[in-house]
Amino acid sequence: SSDLPARPIKLVVPYPAGGNSDLIGRMIADKLSGPLGQQVVVENRAGAGGNIGMDVVAKSPADGYTLVMGTVGTHAINGALYSKMPYDMVKDFAPVGHIASTPI
């Protein structure tokens, strides 16, 4: 049996509290905490269309203890909107799964 995770996991939502990504992130965090045996803590890091929170995660250790609620905005649209991105949308992240689709 594995002793992982050995400490709480951080789930960064790169948008303000109360939006779709935040609500879905909080539901996922709640559902993951039980089976993982560790608390999954939601941290909202809003700003720059999601780029601030995504940059924080991109610079975090790749140890599985920091997750992010990426969106079509943070991984596709922002690359076309911003002339310089603080993270690489493909190289800096490893997808874990598709959680939800919401209308725009």
Side-chain angles (χ1 to χ4, degrees):
S1 83
S2 174
D3 292 332
L4 296 175
R7 63 180 193 269
I9 296 168
K10 178 170 47 174
L11 174 60
V12 174
V13 175
Y15 298 102
N20 284 342
S21 295
D22 180 57
L23 296 173
I24 294 167
R26 290 178 189 281
M27 288 190 291
I28 295 299
D30 184 54
K31 296 292 183 186
L32 286 175
S33 292
L36 292 175
Q38 285 290 340
Q39 185 177 14
V40 178
V41 179
V42 174
E43 181 179 310
N44 295 83
R45 296 294 297 262
N51 286 352
I52 291 174
M54 297 303 293
D55 188 42
V56 167
V57 175
K59 290 179 171 76
S60 295
D63 59 7
Y65 285 94
T66 304
L67 304 174
V68 67
M69 289 288 298
T71 67
V72 67
T74 60
H75 280 77
I77 297 171
N78 287 358
L81 291 178
Y82 294 90
S83 59
K84 185 175 180 185
M85 293 289 289
Y87 58 91
D88 185 299
M89 296 170 282
V90 176
K91 295 178 184 175
D92 289 340
F93 303 95
V96 175
H98 180 257
I99 295 173
S101 295
T102 60
I104 296 179

